[in-house]
Amino acid sequence: MDASDTVPIQSLRTAKDIVDFLVENDGAGVTETAEWIDRPLSTTHEYLNTLTGIGYLIRGDDGYYVSSLHLSVGTEVRSQDPLYAAAKPEIDKFAAETDNNIVLLKEESGYGVTLYSIENDDSMRIQPRAGNRNYLHINAGGKAILASLPHERVEAIVENVGLDAVTENTITDRETLFEELETIREVGYAVSREEDIVGIHEIAIPILVEDARNIGSILVYGPASEFTDERLTEELPEALRRLKNVLEFNLTYAQYSTTQ
């Protein structure tokens, strides 16, 4: 591979870095952006103008901002996802009946991506937004997914993504993680006790379809004071298994219908 092969790839990475920077900072000027991407002002200005020209950014009086084009693209991508299509109405019903906080996750490139979420407890204010990417090993939903993936795939994710800690309870040891994944396979659900967010307990169950690898997981979370061991190991597993059965039936039926 010569230098000319790598230039377009690096340009795409720089463009992504700019978009990410503007999202995190709710917009910025040329100078701030140039400092962040470590490029000359003239080069940065070219990037910003190009991204604005294709509709990825908009230019305001005090800088550049990410456009709503990303929203329309993300919304369209999510609407085409079979897991989201099958799960959303059932999650809405489950949330209304149980008053639980729920997250729908899927694995993508070794990370957990939030497809949909409902937070019934207004006092919590931690509802993950659609499109959020996070480590799989830090929460119950991600661990439920890891436990359902082939061993070689999990090894690759651990190697490439790592086992960083986000709280003092996060699993950061490879052997400990693999032992827990084995337990999850045995009991059929995953639990997280303040491994992702301090003060929050979670339980999740994987969503699978016949002749396919793991698609995603359904995660329910709440305050540690309410999500006791009894609730995590007796009450919620059965409720989630019923929801899992409905979703997997719907997914299998949808998959079967498209092949006919």
Side-chain angles (χ1 to χ4, degrees):
M1 179 182 292
D2 60 31
S4 62
D5 293 323
T6 64
V7 172
I9 295 175
Q10 185 57 50
S11 296
L12 287 173
R13 288 175 176 166
T14 301
K16 180 184 181 300
D17 288 343
I18 290 173
V19 172
D20 290 344
F21 174 71
L22 295 178
V23 169
E24 292 173 4
N25 292 274
D26 193 21
V30 178
T31 302
E32 301 96 317
T33 307
E35 291 175 353
W36 174 254
I37 64 172
D38 194 23
R39 296 288 192 281
L41 285 173
S42 58
T43 302
T44 303
H45 199 265
E46 289 179 3
Y47 272 106
L48 292 169
N49 281 344
T50 299
L51 289 168
T52 301
I54 61 177
Y56 277 46
L57 304 180
I58 56 174
R59 185 172 183 177
D61 294 336
D62 55 350
Y64 292 83
Y65 300 84
V66 176
S67 76
S68 57
L69 175 63
H70 300 270
L71 176 62
S72 63
V73 171
T75 301
E76 184 63 26
V77 169
R78 185 174 70 167
S79 68
Q80 295 174 3
D81 190 290
L83 176 59
Y84 172 78
K88 183 183 182 302
E90 298 301 330
I91 289 176
D92 288 342
K93 184 196 301 185
F94 182 80
E97 293 174 348
T98 64
D99 209 32
N100 279 308
N101 309 302
I102 307 174
V103 180
L104 173 66
L105 287 173
K106 70 176 294 185
E107 184 268 330
E108 195 169 86
S109 301
Y111 291 87
V113 179
T114 298
L115 284 181
Y116 185 59
S117 65
I118 296 177
E119 190 163 83
N120 280 317
D121 188 344
D122 294 334
S123 66
M124 299 188 69
R125 302 182 185 278
I126 62 171
Q127 181 177 9
R129 293 180 296 178
N132 275 10
R133 284 164 53 96
N134 221 325
Y135 299 119
L136 287 168
H137 69 281
I138 67 172
N139 60 48
K143 290 190 293 183
I145 289 174
L146 287 174
S148 303
L149 291 173
H151 180 81
E152 296 76 13
R153 175 69 176 138
V154 180
E155 289 275 15
I157 290 173
V158 171
E159 176 67 25
N160 297 328
V161 177
L163 295 175
D164 291 350
V166 294
T167 77
E168 63 180 15
N169 294 321
T170 304
I171 295 176
T172 58
D173 176 72
R174 179 188 174 281
E175 293 305 318
T176 302
L177 175 64
F178 277 80
E179 288 175 4
E180 177 148 351
L181 297 183
E182 183 59 35
T183 299
I184 293 169
R185 295 184 191 101
E186 292 174 0
V187 300
Y189 61 88
V191 170
S192 169
R193 296 177 175 87
E194 301 187 77
E195 295 171 38
D196 183 8
I197 302 172
V198 174
I200 298 298
H201 285 180
E202 309 163 347
I203 179 172
I205 201 160
I207 305 301
L208 309 164
V209 291
E210 187 178 359
D211 299 326
R213 293 193 303 176
N214 177 262
I215 293 180
S217 64
I218 299 290
L219 179 153
V220 175
Y221 66 93
S225 58
E226 297 179 13
F227 275 51
T228 61
D229 283 349
E230 180 180 0
R231 190 175 184 193
L232 286 171
T233 60
E234 296 180 20
E235 175 189 338
L236 287 170
E238 185 57 36
L240 284 175
R241 286 190 186 100
R242 290 194 295 269
L243 177 60
K244 168 188 173 73
N245 290 338
V246 172
L247 293 183
E248 291 182 348
F249 174 81
N250 290 346
L251 281 163
T252 302
Y253 178 78
Q255 186 181 69
Y256 175 80
S257 298
T258 57
T259 61
Q260 301 306 300

